[in-house]
Amino acid sequence: MPKLSGEQTLLRIFVGEARQHGHRPLYEALVELFRQEGFAGATVVKGVAGFGAHRVYHTQKLIDLSADLPMVVEVVDAQEKIDAVLPRVEEMMDGGLVTLEKVTVIRYTRHRDGR
């Protein structure tokens, strides 16, 4: 498990659920990229509603099975590691929003049972 403490960088990527990279959802492809590159971890959060640059409101309703809900992919790691992977992230995306911010990691450990 990589050591992660103190000041780090949070990379946050906002994409639509329907966005693809190759034959898989973009958010899954991004998580796999971060795993292969040895990042400390990645999380995908599914939004219940939102809009982006086109100002189209996306929400999930029972009659709308193709809502294209907002997805947020987050990773926290060293600035250098994030800088190194950003060009590949940009190549994978055809839209969306990418942000960076400094964060302070207080705790990063495995569960006591080893998971």
Side-chain angles (χ1 to χ4, degrees):
M1 180 172 84
K3 183 176 185 316
L4 194 66
S5 64
E7 188 173 287
Q8 302 293 329
T9 301
L10 166 63
L11 169 62
R12 190 175 284 141
I13 304 167
F14 298 80
V15 296
E17 182 179 28
R19 295 288 179 216
Q20 298 280 305
H21 179 71
H23 298 290
R24 65 194 300 194
L26 176 58
Y27 65 89
E28 285 183 7
L30 288 166
V31 168
E32 181 60 22
L33 169 66
F34 298 132
R35 190 187 67 75
Q36 289 175 350
E37 293 298 318
F39 276 72
T43 300
V44 177
V45 180
K46 184 175 188 176
V48 296
F51 68 92
H54 289 103
R55 317 238 359 120
V56 175
Y57 185 70
H58 299 276
T59 187
Q60 185 164 4
K61 297 180 181 179
L62 292 176
I63 58 171
D64 184 8
L65 298 178
S66 60
D68 194 21
L69 293 172
M71 304 294 281
V72 181
V73 181
E74 296 185 334
V75 294
V76 174
D77 217 305
Q79 180 73 52
E80 301 79 28
K81 202 166 201 175
I82 288 175
D83 288 344
V85 80
L86 272 176
R88 292 178 62 196
V89 170
E90 287 290 326
E91 289 172 7
M92 295 170 75
M93 297 179 63
D94 67 351
L97 173 68
V98 177
T99 64
L100 293 173
E101 59 188 88
K102 292 293 181 193
V103 295
T104 303
V105 175
I106 304 298
R107 178 185 172 108
Y108 176 66
T109 59
R110 290 184 178 173
H111 290 277
R112 289 187 185 119
D113 63 6
R115 289 184 282 154

